[in-house]
Amino acid sequence: MFEQLVDKLPVGIGIVDESFNVVYLNEFFLDRLPQELRNDFKQKPITILFHGQEKFLKRRLKSVFVLQHPSFSYWEQRPHIFPFKSSRPITGEETQMYQNMEILPIKDKKSGDRFACIFLQDVTAQASYFRTQQKLSEALKKEHAAQVKLIRKLDQAQSQLIQAEKMASTGQLAAGIAHEINNPIGFVAANLDTLSQYATHLIAICNGVHERLDDLNEDIKDQLEALYSTHHYALLKEDIAELIEESSDGLARVKDIVQNLKSFSLQTAEGIQTIEVCTLCNQLISLISAQYGKPQYKFDCALEKIEIMGDPGPLKQALMNVMINAAQAINDKGFIKLTVIEKGDTVVFKILDSGCGIPQNNLKRIFEPFFTTKPEGQGQGLGLSVAYTAIEKHHGKISISSKEGKGTVVEITIPKFITSTQSVEEDLADAE
């Protein structure tokens, strides 16, 4: 009767032994196993029956057996532990199941054997509702921010000047923040390196003591073995190196992003100066990929170093606007390739993306200020307009070809040597 009741519950219940072999699965689990395994699942490792999260499951199960404390995993942290599908109650549509998992330590009173009981709850409906509400909230925040920005700029007719000033101040602010972050990153990295050395020495000491236990009298030996067991030395020794390594890798990524942001944003001189193109492009890809991580990025240049003369601020902004447009055009998987070619006295930047493309009837308007096909609150339509103006100031050319549903190619041609550029303010004064 108990098993019949458990099989009717809308939650997954599974029991595994200390070797991670399955002892029991209720119908929730069995219904999602391949047909050939449903009658032959006992005493098989759960990591073989359910692929995809072997390392995570082993760590959680090992933690429960060693510490004898429950372990929880919520869908916000790791949404799909088991590769199950979930049907929506109204539409019947099948989607990847969002899951909450709890693992409890249990013990057979007769035999004394220890087991772990896995409770798995399908929270797809709740997760979908939460994500929908989150998206609505974000959309409302963006709409509110867009309305505030529009109100502030409604009486400003000089859109290019506003954008240029805004990006200049943002660049200075970003460079200042990056500089300030560098200091704490430095001492955290140093402390983490020292901590790694300390951990290595401590583990070496503990290992040395453990190897000489047989040389001690039985009373001291029993006390030391109990001490090792109480503080879960085996688990600590296994995890500490991996935790320090993961922390070091994360800190190195932060350091690279901050350094690229500082180098990309900070201008040491105004006006015409020498620009190293390959360095600029690598910094640009590093910054864009940190914000838009879905596309694959590739930089291609036959030469190790290409230098041009120009104003770095507007040129950086032009390339960044084009690259951001390419990244935003890719909803899921795709690629962005930035190619630099030296052609005589010019340098060609070619940005190729596999995004959604641009409809033919919009191609002739893409450089118009305030023209955008993005939803309200997600773009002002100034990105390509600013890029076009910056390229013109460098006596260059920008062209775009695109096929809807296939992707877009942007080519920017810049002279290697330029003697002067006009500022936006001078252009506006000439127009008046």
Side-chain angles (χ1 to χ4, degrees), residues 30 34 40 56 76 104 123 169 183 201 206 210 227 243 331 401:
L30 291 178
D40 188 29
F56 173 76
E76 294 97 332
L104 297 173
V123 292
S169 62
N183 292 330
H201 294 323
C206 293
H210 194 269
L227 190 65
L243 292 174
N331 295 322
S401 59

Side-chain angles (χ1 to χ4, degrees), residues 169-235:
S169 62
T170 302
Q172 292 171 2
L173 177 63
I177 293 174
H179 179 74
E180 291 300 321
I181 292 176
N182 266 338
N183 292 330
I185 285 179
F187 69 71
V188 171
N191 289 348
L192 199 59
D193 183 59
T194 304
L195 177 63
S196 177
Q197 296 179 36
Y198 288 173
T200 301
H201 294 323
L202 286 173
I203 290 175
I205 292 171
C206 293
N207 285 340
V209 172
H210 194 269
E211 291 172 358
R212 301 297 299 273
L213 285 180
D214 292 336
D215 298 340
L216 304 173
N217 64 55
E218 290 299 320
D219 186 34
I220 296 177
K221 179 180 177 181
D222 290 342
Q223 292 181 36
L224 286 175
E225 286 181 340
L227 190 65
Y228 278 104
S229 177
T230 301
H231 292 282
H232 314 296
Y233 175 65
L235 179 63

Side-chain angles (χ1 to χ4, degrees), residues 253-284:
R253 284 191 63 195
V254 174
K255 185 176 180 181
D256 287 343
I257 292 171
V258 169
Q259 186 58 43
N260 283 322
L261 179 61
K262 182 180 177 182
S263 301
F264 192 84
S265 300
L266 189 62
Q267 298 181 37
T268 56
E270 295 182 352
I272 303 302
Q273 55 190 282
T274 302
I275 303 171
E276 208 290 287
V277 171
C278 294
T279 300
L280 185 150
C281 290
N282 282 314
Q283 291 173 350
L284 176 62

